[in-house]
Amino acid sequence: MDKKKVIFEHELHSRSAKIIWPLISAPEGLAKWIADDVKRDGDAMEFAWGVPWRHHETRTATVTEELQPTLFRWVWDDEEDYFVEMKIEKSDITGDYILIVTDFTDLDDEEWLTAVWEGNFERLHNTTGL
C-alpha cells in the first residue's frame, strides 16, 4: 500500500543544538518523548511502548543517517521503503530551533499520525521544557 509523506514542524524553546541533539538521537532522549523505552546497538534500534507485563508493543528500526547535530533518520525494519527523520533548523526570526519531523502514513491514517506527533511534542515539552 502506498503511503503519504507528512511533515510536522514544532518550534523548540532552545537556542542550543547541543541540548536538542541527544533528545532526537540518543535512546535516553527519545525515551523521554517518543517511546517508553528505546535501545540502540550500533545502527539497530528498538522502540517499546507500554509495560512488559501488560499491553506492550515493540518495533525495530535501523539508523540510516546521522548528521550531528542536525539530522537523525531511521527506517522501520518492517517498512523498509519509509523512514522517520528528525531535523533541526534555526529560526531566522526567533533564533530558536525548529524541529522538523518527516514521517509516513497510510492515506486514510493522516489524522491519527497527526495526533500521535502532537502527543509526542506535548510529551517533549512536558519532560524537557522545550
Side-chain angles (χ1 to χ4, degrees):
M1 177 181 265
D2 287 334
K3 298 213 177 211
K4 178 180 180 181
K5 179 193 253 186
V6 185
I7 299 173
F8 303 95
E9 291 189 12
H10 180 74
E11 187 169 356
L12 303 171
H13 302 288
S14 176
R15 295 180 178 191
S16 172
K18 289 181 182 182
I19 291 172
I20 300 167
W21 178 249
L23 295 170
I24 67 170
S25 64
E28 300 81 18
L30 291 166
K32 289 182 179 183
W33 67 288
I34 295 288
D36 296 319
D37 187 36
V38 180
K39 294 180 175 104
R40 182 172 180 185
D41 183 11
D43 288 338
M45 297 185 75
E46 180 181 89
F47 295 79
W49 296 268
V51 290
W53 58 90
R54 296 178 67 196
H55 177 72
H56 186 73
E57 179 183 351
T58 61
R59 286 189 81 185
T60 57
T62 302
V63 176
T64 58
E65 197 165 352
E66 187 171 3
L67 301 172
Q68 187 173 350
T70 59
L71 182 118
F72 191 73
R73 180 189 289 184
W74 70 81
V75 174
W76 296 115
D77 292 342
D78 59 352
E79 295 182 296
E80 294 179 7
D81 293 334
Y82 304 102
F83 59 87
V84 175
E85 178 181 275
M86 293 190 212
K87 178 170 56 171
I88 59 171
E89 293 181 356
K90 195 164 203 158
S91 168
D92 293 332
I93 297 169
T94 66
D96 287 338
Y97 278 94
I98 299 168
L99 175 60
I100 303 163
V101 176
T102 303
D103 201 350
F104 292 82
T105 186
D106 293 331
L107 300 177
D108 57 348
D109 280 343
E110 186 174 351
E111 189 174 303
W112 171 83
L113 185 65
T114 299
V116 167
W117 280 107
E118 285 174 358
N120 287 343
F121 295 143
E122 183 176 332
R123 204 168 142 190
L124 175 64
H125 178 71
N126 290 341
T127 59
T128 68
L130 299 180

